[in-house]
């Protein structure tokens, strides 16, 4: 099957399990599309697939960076497109799995990206302050004011390019792709998330974070990623 399969949706909805089953059925290899799971050591809090869960299916773009290394959407676009070509070249099916929508869009659509030079993380600002700062630069922007990573990128993009990040949009799909968006009843999902958090704590999430905290590492994946930023604070 010369297609790209994409599985996305909120945390705890079942993306990993489905990806394994589809990989078995369609001779697939899995490519990570989660911005946190590219980092080594951020395992429990990101619900990273375990070796047992992989069931010998090849997995790519997991654990490729240290938490203090820079890895942007620009890098992901290059890495993911290269992997799609390699996987299809082996006669297999690339399966993108994850909830980072920007990663998926950058990889599969005709976005023209350049390496980001403006990398301010604005650690001293709240989400609301970031949103207001962005409005000062780009008064007409429509954006999720609670998506901290997106707000920071929009500010940095405007400062670097002197134009709105929303001008860099396209509907041109570069691949023959099948998109699977998983969802469930909100109450069921919240119960699943609450249960998952309890399990994460039991499995050692606090210690996972403390290792980096004690080393005074204050990088984007630790300060911005849901779960990690709450424990840091």
């Amino acid at each position: 099957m010369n297609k790209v399969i994409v599985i996305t949706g909120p945390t705890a909805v079942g993306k990993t399990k489905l990806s394994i089953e589809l990989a078995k059925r369609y001779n697939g290899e899995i490519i990570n599309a989660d911005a946190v799971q590219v980092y080594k050591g951020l395992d429990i809090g990101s619900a990273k697939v375990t070796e047992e869960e992989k069931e010998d299916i090849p997995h790519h773009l997991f654990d490729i960076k240290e938490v203090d290394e820079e890895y942007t959407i620009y890098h992901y676009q290059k890495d993911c497109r290269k992997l799609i070509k390699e996987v299809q070249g082996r006669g297999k099916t690339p399966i993108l799995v994850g909830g980072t929508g920007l990663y998926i869009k950058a990889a599969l659509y005709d976005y023209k990206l350049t390496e980001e030079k403006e990398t301010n993380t604005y650690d001293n600002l709240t989400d609301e302050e970031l949103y207001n700062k962005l409005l000062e630069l780009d008064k007409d922007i429509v954006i999720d004011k609670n998506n901290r990573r997106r707000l920071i990128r929009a500010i940095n993009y405007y400062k670097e390019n002197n134009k709105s990040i929303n001008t860099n949009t396209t509907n041109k799909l570069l691949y023959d792709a099948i998109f699977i968006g998983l969802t469930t009843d909100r109450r069921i999902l919240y119960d699943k998330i609450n249960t998952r958090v309890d399990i994460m704590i039991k499995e050692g999430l606090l210690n996972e974070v403390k290792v980096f905290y004690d080393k005074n590492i204050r990088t984007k994946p630790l300060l911005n990623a849901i779960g990690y930023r709450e424990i840091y604070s």
Side-chain angles (χ1 to χ4, degrees):
M1 185 173 73
N2 191 28
K3 292 182 182 291
V4 176
I5 297 175
V6 181
I7 303 172
T8 190
T11 187
V13 78
K15 297 186 294 292
T16 296
K17 185 176 181 181
L18 178 61
S19 70
I20 297 296
E21 293 305 314
L22 290 182
K24 291 177 187 175
R25 179 169 297 193
Y26 296 110
N27 192 25
E29 296 189 18
I30 292 169
I31 300 174
N32 171 43
D34 182 290
V36 182
Q37 295 185 6
V38 300
Y39 294 102
K40 299 174 185 176
L42 303 188
D43 304 327
I44 300 172
S46 70
K48 192 178 292 175
V49 61
T50 65
E51 289 304 316
E52 183 180 3
E53 288 173 327
K54 288 178 183 178
E55 297 190 35
D56 295 324
I57 302 294
H59 281 64
H60 306 281
L61 297 186
F62 294 86
D63 298 323
I64 60 170
K65 291 291 176 181
E66 304 292 344
V67 293
D68 55 358
E69 288 185 275
E70 187 70 21
Y71 193 76
T72 68
I73 189 172
Y74 166 80
H75 299 114
Y76 180 81
Q77 182 187 68
K78 288 177 57 181
D79 291 344
C80 188
R81 289 181 179 179
K82 179 173 179 284
L83 272 167
I84 290 173
K85 184 176 181 180
E86 290 174 355
V87 171
Q88 289 184 330
R90 290 192 283 271
K92 302 181 76 175
T93 303
I95 304 175
L96 272 64
V97 183
T100 303
L102 277 177
Y103 272 21
I104 294 168
K105 289 179 182 177
L108 301 183
Y109 288 81
D110 191 25
Y111 283 92
K112 303 295 190 292
L113 299 177
T114 56
E115 190 162 8
E116 298 172 18
K117 298 179 178 65
E118 183 72 47
T119 57
N120 196 327
T121 57
Y122 300 99
D123 300 335
N124 59 318
L125 299 183
T126 66
D127 290 0
E128 184 176 358
E129 289 170 335
L130 281 172
Y131 179 66
N132 291 329
K133 184 177 183 67
L134 176 59
L135 288 181
E136 292 174 6
L137 298 169
D138 189 1
K139 62 182 179 64
D140 297 321
I141 192 168
V142 177
I143 195 169
D144 178 3
K145 63 176 66 176
N146 296 313
N147 188 331
R148 185 175 184 87
R149 185 182 293 111
R150 176 74 171 165
L151 290 170
I152 291 171
R153 185 163 182 272
I155 293 170
N156 287 339
Y157 186 91
Y158 196 98
K159 285 189 169 184
E160 189 171 322
N161 299 282
N162 199 33
K163 61 182 180 180
S164 175
I165 196 171
N166 284 355
T167 60
N168 189 21
T169 59
T170 177
N171 292 319
K172 184 180 178 183
L173 188 59
L174 300 178
Y175 300 90
D176 186 3
I178 297 172
F179 292 87
I180 302 171
L182 299 183
T183 186
T184 187
D185 178 82
R186 185 178 291 266
R187 180 182 57 80
I188 294 173
L189 184 63
Y190 283 0
D191 286 344
K192 284 176 174 283
I193 292 172
N194 289 335
T195 300
R196 173 172 283 186
V197 171
D198 290 340
I199 292 171
M200 286 177 175
I201 295 297
K202 289 177 183 176
E203 289 181 344
L205 178 59
L206 291 175
N207 288 332
E208 177 173 281
V209 178
K210 194 172 186 298
V211 168
F212 299 107
Y213 186 88
D214 289 347
K215 292 178 181 177
N216 199 34
I217 297 175
R218 303 289 191 269
T219 53
K220 279 194 296 185
L222 289 163
L223 296 177
N224 295 337
I226 294 173
Y228 291 101
R229 72 186 184 205
E230 286 79 8
I231 293 179
Y232 251 62
S233 65

